[in-house]
Amino acid sequence: MANNFNDIGNGSERKKKIRPPKRQFDGDVLESIIRNLPGGKARMDALLPAIQQADEEQDHFWRLMFRYEYACEATFRDDPPKCMPAAAEFHAIYQEHPEALKRRSFTGAMEMHLMILEMGIEPIIGLPQIPMEQWQGLMDQFYALVKEYHLGLRTYWWQMCQFWQYIDKEKAFEYFQKFWKTGRDGVSDCRACERSNAVRICLLMGDRAAADEYARPIEDGRMANSCSDTPQKCWLNYLEDALDRGDLKQAEPRANALYRKGNRDKSDLDFIGAVLRCWSFTDLDRAVTLAVSRLEWSLGMWDQKLVYDFDKGAWTCFRQLAKRADTVELTLPEAFPLYREDGVYSPQALADWFYAQAEKIGRAFDARNGSDFFRKNLALAGRDLL
């Protein structure tokens, strides 16, 4: 008697279905393949199925490692907030399986844990929809681990500083002083990034002499290769300061240098936005070309601070172009809300759109932060557009 449908036949022996052998999971091979891909989106797209495979195999070492690599790609080469789910999952897995990273005498588990949590918390600065209370709660959890691991205190103070710079610069400076006085450890940023951060805070406080002192090793080239974002971060700080002061003579060489080294991927939209703002007054044709070529990067970005920076620069660019022409032919991406099949656009309409987007994002930031930083910041960008 047949026990199931597969046993029903003509009385002859049932043919066995030949199944291919299950492909064995090998995290080392997958990682090698992924590392040969271009950084950013290509690696992120490959890491997602790698994470899924590691989860299916319950290989906790690679579940953690692939999530950490995904977070790094999102943070440094794409859209930083996209690392947040990976960071949260890493934290949950590591809490349940703290022994997973001991495989192969792996060292640095605590550093990795703190670093991915930092990558998961920092993007909240660029997400105005997340309340301050939620950010503070995550920072409290981070600080608890800092105390448990005896690591990362310097990083904690910097995270506090950079969030508060948009709310209360005096309080931000207090956190900066604690940051600078605390010793470095395995969780600290590279020394050049830290000096770039110091330059930003000193310029925010109006202390140009102190900023120049912190910047000197970077400007002299002694730290130029310390990080892929050095010296770009330092140049950005000086470029924005010069633009806010209306000093195009100092701004232009910074913008030209920043364009050469800071036009690589989505994570550079803050660099590009500042370059656009400068070139709007010094090289308008080049600014328009840059805005058109990088518009697609800004569409759909999670990081609203990066979008704000780009939209602010694009606004100044097309506002200046509107003084020259009533219409212009451009090849803009179809995903752009003002897209036209004939490619003929009103520069003023484009300027109005970018301003509206920047103003909306800035208003959301100020509402979340309880300050007027972004309102004043946007007003400075528009000061010379009349």
Side-chain angles (χ1 to χ4, degrees), residues 306-363:
L306 290 178
V307 176
Y308 169 85
D309 290 333
F310 177 83
D311 286 352
K312 180 174 67 173
W315 165 48
T316 63
C317 166
F318 288 109
R319 181 65 186 90
Q320 288 297 92
L321 184 62
K323 297 177 183 179
R324 180 194 296 182
D326 293 329
T327 60
V328 62
E329 291 189 18
L330 301 171
T331 304
L332 301 183
E334 291 185 20
F336 181 53
L338 300 189
Y339 172 77
R340 292 177 57 92
E341 288 188 5
D342 62 7
V344 178
Y345 295 90
S346 159
Q348 186 59 57
L350 292 173
D352 291 343
W353 188 88
F354 284 111
Y355 173 80
Q357 298 306 304
E359 194 277 334
K360 179 181 177 181
I361 294 171
R363 187 162 17 95

Side-chain angles (χ1 to χ4, degrees), residues 18 70 117 142 156 185 193 204 222 226 238 242 258 262 296 308 321 348 353 380:
I18 300 175
Y70 184 91
L117 288 182
F142 184 81
Y156 171 79
D185 56 36
C193 277
L204 181 67
R222 284 179 280 155
S226 298
Y238 278 118
L258 190 56
E296 190 168 16
Y308 169 85
L321 184 62
Q348 186 59 57
W353 188 88
L380 276 175

